[in-house]
Amino acid sequence: MVKAILFDFDGVLFDTEPLHFDMFRQVLRMEGISLAPEVYYARYVGLTDPACFQAVLADCGRTPVSSESIRRLVRCKTEFMQASLRASLPLLPGVSELVESSALRYRTAVVSGALREEIALCLDLAGMTPMFEHVSAAQDVHEGKPAPALYLHALEALNRQLGLRADECVAIEDTPHGIEAAHQAGMRCIAVA
């Protein structure tokens, strides 16, 4: 029996994947690196910001990279991203209604490798914050998707209120990394094409 629906954020609730790509590309361009869309979507989509920057820099032969350099790149991308989100909120059609109706029947949470600030801003601007019992974000775990850590973090948080098993949860995901993470956490998954 399904008792909880755990929504990914980027690409499931909000059409932010193109924005993420644009922001990564802008920041990397300042570092003298060109990032093609087909490469981003094939290799890096679904990774946390630090993991994405680390992977791109490693693939370009720019290793080792200091943790301070990665933090600087993430801060820069975050500033660009928040400005873009405030200018135009990319809420996917029908999502607000889906989440609202889901929250009436199931426990709901956001499980995302996105930064908490980005998630909170979008949910607030869309008026969706009260629809979710919990948010697990990049800052909550050491390993992003495809590791199951984010889903297990959300399950643990939901269990503080009322017992819930992994097999009673359905994840909604849009990337291979996310699908793998949900399955590794023992959850069923609906994949958005």
Side-chain angles (χ1 to χ4, degrees):
M1 173 188 257
V2 175
K3 293 185 179 177
I5 300 177
L6 310 181
F7 293 85
D8 178 43
F9 178 75
D10 296 310
V12 171
L13 298 177
F14 294 86
D15 189 19
T16 49
E17 291 298 355
L19 285 177
H20 280 290
F21 168 68
D22 286 342
M23 301 307 124
F24 277 121
R25 186 168 54 181
Q26 284 182 39
V27 173
L28 289 166
R29 191 178 297 132
M30 295 186 312
E31 299 293 311
I33 296 172
S34 176
L35 181 61
E38 60 275 8
V39 173
Y40 173 76
Y41 287 106
R43 296 180 53 100
Y44 308 120
V45 72
L47 296 177
T48 64
D49 288 359
C52 183
F53 281 119
Q54 191 76 35
V56 170
L57 292 169
D59 289 348
C60 291
R62 300 233 185 135
T63 54
V65 181
S66 72
S67 55
E68 179 49 41
S69 292
I70 296 295
R71 282 193 295 273
R72 177 183 53 79
L73 295 172
V74 169
R75 277 192 307 271
C76 185
K77 180 192 171 273
T78 299
E79 289 171 11
F80 288 165
M81 188 75 175
Q82 291 209 343
S84 181
L85 291 171
R86 287 182 196 283
S88 177
L89 188 65
L91 180 63
L92 286 164
V95 163
S96 186
E97 296 82 4
L98 172 66
V99 173
E100 186 174 16
S101 65
S102 296
L104 295 174
R105 295 185 58 206
Y106 305 101
R107 299 174 74 189
T108 56
V110 174
V111 179
S112 175
L115 297 174
R116 183 173 306 287
E117 298 82 13
E118 291 170 10
I119 297 169
L121 176 64
C122 288
L123 293 179
D124 186 50
L125 291 172
M128 294 172 61
T129 303
M131 298 179 195
F132 293 99
E133 183 178 334
H134 175 75
V135 173
S136 285
Q139 297 95 319
D140 294 321
V141 297
H142 294 293
E143 289 182 288
K145 299 171 186 177
L150 277 163
Y151 279 104
L152 296 174
H153 180 272
L155 182 62
E156 181 182 326
L158 292 171
N159 272 321
R160 290 184 199 123
Q161 291 284 25
L162 184 64
L164 184 66
R165 295 186 325 264
D167 65 354
E168 296 173 320
C169 300
V170 171
I172 302 179
E173 277 286 353
D174 71 318
T175 66
H177 288 315
I179 295 164
E180 184 178 340
H183 285 158
Q184 283 190 41
M187 299 177 184
R188 289 176 275 180
C189 187
I190 296 171
V192 177

